[in-house]
Amino acid sequence: MEISQLLKGVLDLAVLAVLRGEDGYGYDVLRRLRVAGLQEVGDASVYGTLRRLYKAGLLTSYVVPSEEGPHRKYYSLNEPGRRRLEESAQTWRTFASTMTSLLGEAV
């Protein structure tokens, strides 16, 4: 099974989780995901996910001027985003537990 296929289903959850503790701009979110072990995640996927979550009302954004290049658009988790994160995390835990159980029986 390819990691890229699994990522499609959980990228929203991963991005929300990364933003839970600290706001971030696009490349920063991408870097944190990769540092956490998701090296396969693509730039365009992360930027698209941030835009979609923002449009869905799960993130807020603000712009910070940068002396080193273009201004950076930071994203932060708002209350609806925190609720979605908790709901999605519970769904993931249940699913992961079921898969762990199934795989334990299959081995």
Side-chain angles (χ1 to χ4, degrees):
M1 177 176 290
E2 291 186 33
I3 296 291
S4 62
Q5 291 299 313
L6 292 172
L7 274 172
K8 288 180 183 179
V10 297
L11 191 53
D12 286 11
L13 175 59
V15 168
L16 291 172
V18 163
L19 291 172
R20 174 182 47 212
E22 181 181 359
D23 299 353
Y25 55 95
Y27 183 75
D28 179 52
V29 171
L30 176 66
R31 182 191 56 78
R32 287 194 254 167
L33 289 168
R34 288 180 175 166
V35 166
L38 299 177
Q39 288 84 8
E40 298 83 1
V41 70
D43 300 22
S45 296
V46 171
Y47 287 102
T49 298
L50 286 167
R51 283 190 301 273
R52 192 168 30 73
L53 293 172
Y54 175 76
K55 286 182 181 178
L58 303 174
L59 301 176
T60 56
S61 70
Y62 56 95
V63 175
V64 175
S66 173
E67 295 179 8
E68 302 165 359
H71 299 327
R72 293 183 174 152
K73 185 175 188 177
Y74 278 76
Y75 293 92
S76 60
L77 203 56
N78 58 23
E79 194 52 41
R82 289 185 190 287
R83 284 194 304 270
R84 174 71 60 86
L85 173 59
E86 290 306 314
E87 293 163 2
S88 296
Q90 184 56 48
T91 299
W92 173 257
R93 288 183 193 103
T94 301
F95 178 76
S97 175
T98 299
M99 289 305 298
T100 298
S101 179
L102 284 170
L103 291 171
E105 294 174 10
V107 175

